[in-house]
Amino acid sequence: MITGKNYIGNTLAGKGIKTFKTFNPQSNKENKTVFIEATVEEINEAVELALLAFKKYSKVSGAEKAAFLDTIADEILNLGEELIQTYCSETGLPEGRANGERGRMVGQLRSFAELVKEGSWVEATIDTAQPDRKPLPKSDLRKMMIPLGPVVVFGASNFAFAFSTAGGDTAAALAAGCPVIVKSHPMHSGTGELVSSAIIKAAEKTGMPNGVFSNLNGSSTDVGVNLVKHPGVKAVGFTGSINGGRALFDIASQRKEPIPVFAEMGSVNPVVILPEALKSNGSYWAKTYAGSVTLGAGQFCTNPGLLLGMKSDALTDFINKLSKEIIKIEPSVMLHPNIVGAYEKNKKRALSQSGLTVTATIDIDVKPNYGKQVITTVEGKTFLENTTLHQEVFGPFSMVVQCEDVKQLENVILALEGQLTGTVISNTEELSNYSVIIDALQNRVGRVIFNGVPTGVEVCPAMQHGGPYPASTDSRFTAVGVHSIKRWVRPFSYQDWPQELLPQELKDENPLGILREVNGKLELKK
Amino acid sequence: MITGKNYIGNTLAGKGIKTFKTFNPQSNKENKTVFIEATVEEINEAVELALLAFKKYSKVSGAEKAAFLDTIADEILNLGEELIQTYCSETGLPEGRANGERGRMVGQLRSFAELVKEGSWVEATIDTAQPDRKPLPKSDLRKMMIPLGPVVVFGASNFAFAFSTAGGDTAAALAAGCPVIVKSHPMHSGTGELVSSAIIKAAEKTGMPNGVFSNLNGSSTDVGVNLVKHPGVKAVGFTGSINGGRALFDIASQRKEPIPVFAEMGSVNPVVILPEALKSNGSYWAKTYAGSVTLGAGQFCTNPGLLLGMKSDALTDFINKLSKEIIKIEPSVMLHPNIVGAYEKNKKRALSQSGLTVTATIDIDVKPNYGKQVITTVEGKTFLENTTLHQEVFGPFSMVVQCEDVKQLENVILALEGQLTGTVISNTEELSNYSVIIDALQNRVGRVIFNGVPTGVEVCPAMQHGGPYPASTDSRFTAVGVHSIKRWVRPFSYQDWPQELLPQELKDENPLGILREVNGKLELKK
């Protein structure tokens, strides 16, 4: 049952007076539960509990953390149909998507469980003593990764499962040994509370300390701001808009003790289409690209907002085909009236720029909260001169930039801000003629894709989800895949430390059998 | 020959009108060379050149970068006696130290050369395609570390070799594939120019692009500020004061595109001495600690400014012995009149706090620029109530905090800001009784030391040099050892990328024979 209260550690609490409800965009009605925004007192209590929990949780073994994570996954699945229905009622997304995203969330939790059970992720490094070294003896030094402390995770509007309460940030932080305080996204607080109940149940079942997890509601920005300012909080994970992420980054940077914020923010995910591919396969790419632009009503962080090509009859033909393909697709419901409102506003801003031509739009009336897809086109020169055109329009909107030549195409890419992804659509033979284009693209993005579309972020170790600012606030980390654990840990060295007091990972006999670097050489499992 | 000019890439330039000289603290006289501060135009030119160089240098192979780094080491050694004499004349440090630190600088360059020649440091990760996977096929994804772009390195006042022009930050950034622009420290700009000449010579000999390295002079803060604000700069390395490091961090965080700053700053490096060790070995530790406090006139970042003990006759006896030992040591010259001035000012600030007792001081007159060591003591309660006493006094100054009991000792540790190191001096048997102390200490520092002193930072992979703020601005990285390369790189993924266009590190056949994670399994060299 959803109570509308906050989880302060294992306890449900709701002393506040500010309340709000979630909204069903499909039925265009508010949902019933009244959610109570966390008070300053409750926020402080959650952080204090997390600090206490950290003392114990930071020392919990990998096997125990794995049991905790696996049990979270089990308890989420145990929530069954209620969870799926709540998700759908708070997002407007279909059951198929709900099931798929739940699978991804559960899969992420299990992959982090596997990672910490195996144990090599701590990057254990040992340099043994050389007492007889001249002119000075060498000490024994042993290093491994340890958790930072309490982490605040902000739920994302567009992924109520995979990037929210028990999503990638939370799974990675709990795996690292950090207690987590979630600032639940106000658009899906019911989903958040249910998932939180599963986490709390798992924490109790596996004997984790009270405070290892808290879930706070809030529809105003106060809750998040107070959390990020709290001296007990040691890192922040965020997925959302550039404005939101940057505001948190600024608050965190201006603290007396600055803390790292990993914010995964906006991206227009440029797709470059080269001449031979246009000629030989234009119809296929028009259809595929139309699907990518409208997938999930264009509400993916990897949605392609920009297609870059060089002027030719083939490009004109492609634009025509793309425009025809995209209007064949039924508009779909967006997550929330606020998201639709922002989409309409940003679309209007873009469409009001001079030189932008609309080549496809939906003329018919649609149901409330449905997002109408749009394809636009603009000259390379116009795009270069007007940076407003570079900004993301979150939703099913895409712009085709028609460049004069390779040089202008390169300049367009160089003028872009940092991106999550960059795609090249090309016949393999022509590729070698465009190395300047590929070089320029690589320098602006976190991931390059060949002959595909950027939507669809595989969860695997080789995935990089992040990129130069503003794709993320620190391009040196990923938000997806097990390596995302590195955001929440720091290296720690023991010098001449007694064997019996060393953590298992660093003892001479390698009791966990993990990969270690010993005196400069990698040693695989015994 | 030292010209006083800046290296803008391979070219010596000095169009500016602001000039300054370095100072020999030993002879108490200015050195002769007139250094010309870099102009805004020269700064911009250096960054533009670095950006151009980055296009080529980011693709240079590990073997070629290794040759460059090794040649830098060779060319530094080729500078011979002139370099050593310049170093001594600009720092007042003895030849023995100059030779030792040069050895360390050269050793660091060679260890990074080895790292990139071997190649596994890029963390190559491969997840191969599963075209038949249901419900959706899986793409081929391959990830590795790539360089961030031009890096600005600030020379440190206290290590003209190992943490300056060709020191750890520069070696790590060049190894990563990032061009480097050094803001030379104005106290040893002659040393900086000589080392820069060796780097330029090595770049030319090994065919590295012009702009891979620049060296800018400046005695005002303008040069550094302009560099950090320049949109072409992608990361910053700094070693120095909290004020300086924090100012750069703030500038970098407030840029339109924020960039990472790794600043290694202040630390008082607390040393906890436990009762049994005091009783059985007090004399030894008094002498050893006195040596650590005065080593290099107390100008090491790991200098122990704080000794924490519990009140007892043994502690009183220890303080007496420490006070006697430390005044036996000859005061030594500090790096610069400004450093002596800051030392005297900060010492005065500390000594003016009520409750602080001086137990050892040097009464005799010393030569100009010599730093007189001081031992002080204070009650635990007083220390807890006055955070001014927590601040570093950079120089041969240390404070013994006498705590009432274990609880107060724990509270003192918990009240400290982040530190580079924390030391425990103890008989092994008693250690298990003080786990709260050890836990508290571990949570505040980057490295713990057992029965040693914190001075002496071994350069090896297992070293962590860095720690919670303000020891460093990002505790997730180290400033010393080959792992410090991670500060200057970001993960980058290729999705379904054609084999022939993949970098060597990610090709199927593993031509470099490096360690890779393939489909979740680690594969050692073929």
Side-chain angles (χ1 to χ4, degrees):
Chain A
M1 206 204 65
I2 306 171
T3 67
K5 292 186 178 176
N6 309 283
Y7 274 105
I8 313 297
N10 300 348
T11 311
L12 278 167
K15 294 178 194 149
I17 47 165
K18 281 193 205 166
T19 60
F20 63 96
K21 290 179 174 180
T22 61
F23 192 89
N24 186 331
Q26 194 70 261
S27 66
N28 200 31
K29 281 183 193 152
E30 275 191 331
N31 293 305
K32 283 183 191 153
T33 310
V34 175
F35 292 93
I36 309 169
E37 181 159 313
T39 64
V40 173
E41 204 180 34
E42 286 165 342
I43 293 166
N44 291 340
E45 220 181 306
V47 179
E48 293 304 326
L49 261 185
L51 283 167
L52 274 177
F54 181 60
K55 284 192 183 183
K56 288 183 187 165
Y57 190 61
S58 59
K59 291 180 170 183
V60 159
S61 73
E64 290 168 295
K65 283 187 289 189
F68 177 32
L69 293 165
D70 275 331
T71 309
I72 296 173
D74 296 340
E75 292 296 336
I76 287 171
L77 292 175
N78 284 344
L79 290 167
E81 202 47 25
E82 184 188 6
L83 182 62
I84 297 295
Q85 291 313 321
T86 306
Y87 173 103
C88 293
S89 74
E90 294 187 323
T91 61
L93 292 166
E95 270 191 44
R97 158 74 188 262
N99 281 308
E101 197 185 331
R102 184 181 61 179
R104 178 170 164 166
M105 166 172 60
V106 163
Q108 287 178 160
L109 287 159
R110 297 209 195 280
S111 70
F112 279 106
E114 215 169 294
L115 184 82
V116 295
K117 193 154 53 186
E118 194 279 329
S120 296
W121 72 274
V122 299
E123 301 177 22
T125 310
I126 296 174
D127 288 292
T128 53
Q130 296 172 18
D132 302 327
R133 191 183 63 174
K134 304 291 171 202
L136 287 171
K138 181 172 183 288
S139 294
D140 180 279
L141 277 153
R142 294 168 191 244
K143 184 170 77 172
M144 64 180 275
M145 291 296 180
I146 64 168
L148 288 178
V151 171
V152 167
V153 171
F154 285 79
S157 68
N158 59 344
F159 277 87
F161 284 155
F163 285 91
S164 289
T165 321
D169 289 354
T170 299
L174 290 177
C178 299
V180 169
I181 301 167
V182 167
K183 159 62 180 66
S184 187
H185 198 285
M187 290 184 190
H188 45 69
S189 302
T191 309
E193 188 187 326
L194 284 176
V195 173
S196 296
S197 74
I199 299 175
I200 296 295
K201 206 173 263 182
E204 289 175 337
K205 272 194 181 173
T206 56
M208 295 300 141
N210 185 14
V212 71
F213 179 82
S214 289
N215 179 58
L216 305 181
N217 295 318
S219 63
S220 70
T221 56
D222 296 357
V223 177
V225 168
N226 284 328
L227 277 170
V228 176
K229 282 185 175 170
H230 197 296
V233 170
K234 298 302 176 193
V236 177
F238 172 89
T239 306
S241 71
I242 295 183
N243 286 346
R246 181 60 189 249
L248 295 176
F249 174 85
D250 287 344
I251 293 168
S253 305
Q254 286 157 21
R255 286 167 44 130
K256 182 162 183 271
E257 177 192 351
I259 52 171
V261 172
F262 186 87
E264 187 259 280
M265 308 185 293
S267 198
V268 290
N269 302 293
V271 173
V272 176
I273 189 158
L274 293 177
E276 292 302 322
L278 266 181
K279 268 191 234 165
S280 60
N281 228 355
S283 305
Y284 169 79
W285 286 116
K287 190 168 179 172
T288 305
Y289 191 79
S292 182
V293 170
T294 51
L295 191 70
Q299 298 168 118
F300 289 120
C301 16
T302 50
N303 199 59
L306 209 57
L307 190 133
L308 313 177
M310 282 173 291
K311 280 186 188 172
S312 68
D313 291 345
L315 183 62
T316 308
D317 186 47
F318 171 85
I319 296 171
N320 288 336
K321 282 177 178 154
L322 168 62
S323 302
K324 278 181 195 148
E325 286 294 342
I326 207 159
I327 56 168
K328 286 189 204 161
I329 297 168
E330 287 282 322
S332 51
V333 68
M334 296 188 83
L335 294 159
H336 193 275
N338 292 354
I339 302 269
V340 185
Y343 174 55
E344 292 300 335
K345 192 181 126 205
N346 293 330
K347 198 163 68 174
K348 203 169 159 187
R349 181 198 65 209
L351 296 181
S352 70
Q353 304 302 309
S354 75
L356 200 71
T357 309
V358 175
T359 67
T361 184
I362 304 286
D363 289 328
I364 53 159
D365 277 346
V366 292
K367 285 197 268 181
N369 309 316
Y370 275 55
K372 295 182 188 182
Q373 55 267 34
V374 176
I375 297 291
T376 60
T377 185
V378 69
E379 300 269 324
K381 185 168 176 290
T382 311
F383 184 83
L384 281 169
E385 284 166 357
N386 184 355
T387 55
T388 301
L389 295 172
H390 302 201
Q391 288 167 37
E392 185 182 9
V393 177
F394 186 79
F397 176 94
S398 200
M399 192 187 300
V400 182
V401 182
Q402 303 191 49
C403 299
E404 293 296 332
D405 49 26
V406 179
K407 186 70 206 158
Q408 192 176 60
L409 178 57
E410 186 193 3
N411 286 338
V412 165
I413 296 170
L414 293 174
L416 293 176
E417 294 188 309
Q419 306 290 336
L420 290 169
T421 70
T423 300
V424 178
I425 294 175
S426 162
N427 283 5
T428 317
E429 304 76 54
E430 67 181 324
L431 211 52
S432 53
N433 303 331
Y434 294 96
S435 58
V436 289
I437 298 302
I438 293 170
D439 286 353
L441 199 63
Q442 292 196 1
N443 207 22
R444 303 312 301 136
V445 308
R447 170 167 59 112
V448 285
I449 298 148
F450 185 70
N451 281 349
V453 287
T455 41
V457 178
E458 186 71 37
V459 181
C460 64
M463 171 56 67
Q464 167 61 7
H465 193 63
Y469 185 89
S472 61
T473 44
D474 193 341
S475 67
R476 296 175 301 173
F477 299 92
T478 178
V480 168
V482 287
H483 295 169
S484 68
I485 197 171
K486 298 185 186 198
R487 294 173 296 172
W488 318 126
V489 293
R490 63 184 176 101
F492 186 86
S493 288
Y494 298 86
Q495 183 169 325
D496 294 330
W497 209 247
Q499 275 287 321
E500 60 276 23
L501 295 182
L502 282 171
Q504 299 286 89
E505 288 85 347
L506 297 178
K507 284 186 201 287
D508 276 345
E509 64 270 27
N510 192 8
L512 302 177
I514 58 175
L515 174 82
R516 312 200 293 189
E517 182 183 336
V518 180
N519 294 322
K521 284 189 76 173
L522 287 163
E523 294 183 357
L524 271 182
K525 276 192 194 198
K526 283 183 186 173
Chain B
M1 206 206 60
I2 306 172
T3 67
K5 292 186 179 174
N6 309 283
Y7 274 105
I8 312 298
N10 300 349
T11 311
L12 279 166
K15 293 178 193 147
I17 49 164
K18 282 193 206 165
T19 60
F20 63 97
K21 288 179 175 181
T22 62
F23 192 89
N24 186 331
Q26 195 68 261
S27 66
N28 200 30
K29 281 182 191 152
E30 276 190 327
N31 293 305
K32 284 183 190 154
T33 311
V34 176
F35 292 94
I36 308 168
E37 182 159 312
T39 63
V40 173
E41 203 181 35
E42 285 165 343
I43 293 167
N44 292 340
E45 219 181 308
V47 179
E48 293 305 326
L49 261 186
L51 283 167
L52 274 178
F54 181 61
K55 285 192 182 183
K56 289 185 186 164
Y57 190 60
S58 59
K59 293 182 170 182
V60 160
S61 73
E64 289 168 296
K65 284 188 288 189
F68 177 31
L69 293 165
D70 275 330
T71 309
I72 295 174
D74 296 341
E75 292 297 335
I76 287 172
L77 292 174
N78 283 344
L79 291 167
E81 202 48 23
E82 185 189 6
L83 180 63
I84 297 294
Q85 291 311 320
T86 305
Y87 173 103
C88 294
S89 75
E90 293 186 322
T91 62
L93 292 167
E95 271 192 44
R97 158 75 187 262
N99 281 307
E101 197 185 329
R102 183 181 61 181
R104 178 171 165 166
M105 167 173 60
V106 163
Q108 288 177 159
L109 288 159
R110 298 209 194 280
S111 69
F112 279 105
E114 217 168 293
L115 184 82
V116 296
K117 193 156 50 186
E118 195 281 329
S120 297
W121 72 274
V122 298
E123 301 177 20
T125 309
I126 296 174
D127 289 291
T128 52
Q130 297 171 20
D132 302 327
R133 192 183 63 173
K134 303 289 171 208
L136 288 171
K138 181 174 184 288
S139 294
D140 181 279
L141 277 152
R142 295 169 190 242
K143 185 171 77 171
M144 64 179 276
M145 292 293 180
I146 64 167
L148 288 178
V151 171
V152 167
V153 171
F154 285 80
S157 68
N158 60 343
F159 276 87
F161 284 156
F163 286 90
S164 290
T165 320
D169 289 354
T170 299
L174 290 177
C178 299
V180 170
I181 302 166
V182 167
K183 159 63 182 64
S184 188
H185 198 284
M187 290 185 192
H188 45 69
S189 303
T191 308
E193 188 187 326
L194 283 177
V195 173
S196 296
S197 74
I199 299 174
I200 296 297
K201 205 173 265 181
E204 290 176 336
K205 272 193 179 173
T206 56
M208 296 299 142
N210 185 15
V212 72
F213 179 82
S214 288
N215 179 58
L216 305 181
N217 294 318
S219 63
S220 70
T221 55
D222 297 355
V223 177
V225 168
N226 284 328
L227 277 170
V228 176
K229 283 185 175 170
H230 197 295
V233 169
K234 297 303 176 193
V236 177
F238 173 88
T239 307
S241 70
I242 294 183
N243 286 346
R246 181 63 190 249
L248 295 176
F249 175 84
D250 287 343
I251 292 167
S253 305
Q254 287 157 21
R255 284 168 48 131
K256 180 162 185 272
E257 177 192 350
I259 53 171
V261 173
F262 187 86
E264 188 259 280
M265 308 185 293
S267 197
V268 291
N269 301 292
V271 174
V272 176
I273 189 158
L274 292 176
E276 291 302 322
L278 267 181
K279 269 191 231 163
S280 61
N281 228 355
S283 305
Y284 168 79
W285 286 116
K287 191 168 177 172
T288 304
Y289 191 79
S292 182
V293 171
T294 52
L295 191 71
Q299 297 168 118
F300 289 120
C301 15
T302 51
N303 200 59
L306 209 56
L307 190 133
L308 313 176
M310 282 173 291
K311 279 186 189 171
S312 69
D313 291 345
L315 182 61
T316 308
D317 186 49
F318 172 84
I319 296 172
N320 288 336
K321 281 174 179 156
L322 168 61
S323 303
K324 278 181 194 147
E325 286 294 342
I326 206 159
I327 57 169
K328 284 188 205 162
I329 297 167
E330 287 281 324
S332 50
V333 69
M334 295 188 84
L335 294 159
H336 193 275
N338 291 355
I339 302 269
V340 186
Y343 174 54
E344 292 300 334
K345 191 182 126 207
N346 293 330
K347 197 163 68 174
K348 204 169 158 186
R349 181 197 65 210
L351 297 179
S352 70
Q353 305 301 309
S354 76
L356 199 73
T357 310
V358 174
T359 67
T361 184
I362 303 286
D363 289 328
I364 53 160
D365 278 347
V366 292
K367 286 198 266 181
N369 308 318
Y370 275 56
K372 294 181 186 182
Q373 56 268 34
V374 177
I375 297 291
T376 62
T377 184
V378 70
E379 300 269 322
K381 185 168 177 289
T382 312
F383 184 84
L384 282 169
E385 286 165 357
N386 184 354
T387 53
T388 301
L389 296 172
H390 303 201
Q391 288 168 35
E392 185 182 12
V393 177
F394 187 78
F397 176 94
S398 200
M399 191 187 301
V400 181
V401 181
Q402 301 191 49
C403 299
E404 293 296 330
D405 49 26
V406 179
K407 187 69 208 159
Q408 193 176 59
L409 177 56
E410 187 193 2
N411 286 338
V412 164
I413 296 169
L414 293 174
L416 293 176
E417 294 188 308
Q419 305 290 336
L420 290 169
T421 70
T423 300
V424 178
I425 294 175
S426 161
N427 282 4
T428 316
E429 302 79 52
E430 66 180 326
L431 211 51
S432 54
N433 303 330
Y434 294 96
S435 58
V436 288
I437 299 301
I438 293 169
D439 285 353
L441 199 63
Q442 292 196 0
N443 207 20
R444 304 311 303 137
V445 308
R447 170 167 58 113
V448 285
I449 298 147
F450 185 70
N451 281 348
V453 287
T455 41
V457 178
E458 186 71 38
V459 181
C460 64
M463 171 56 67
Q464 167 61 7
H465 194 63
Y469 186 88
S472 60
T473 43
D474 194 340
S475 66
R476 297 175 300 173
F477 299 93
T478 178
V480 168
V482 286
H483 295 169
S484 67
I485 197 171
K486 299 186 184 193
R487 296 173 295 171
W488 318 126
V489 293
R490 63 183 175 102
F492 185 86
S493 288
Y494 297 86
Q495 183 169 326
D496 294 330
W497 209 246
Q499 275 287 323
E500 60 275 23
L501 295 182
L502 282 171
Q504 299 285 91
E505 289 84 348
L506 297 178
K507 283 185 199 288
D508 276 345
E509 64 270 26
N510 193 7
L512 302 177
I514 58 174
L515 175 81
R516 312 199 294 189
E517 182 183 337
V518 180
N519 295 323
K521 285 188 77 173
L522 287 162
E523 293 183 357
L524 272 182
K525 275 191 194 199
K526 283 183 185 172

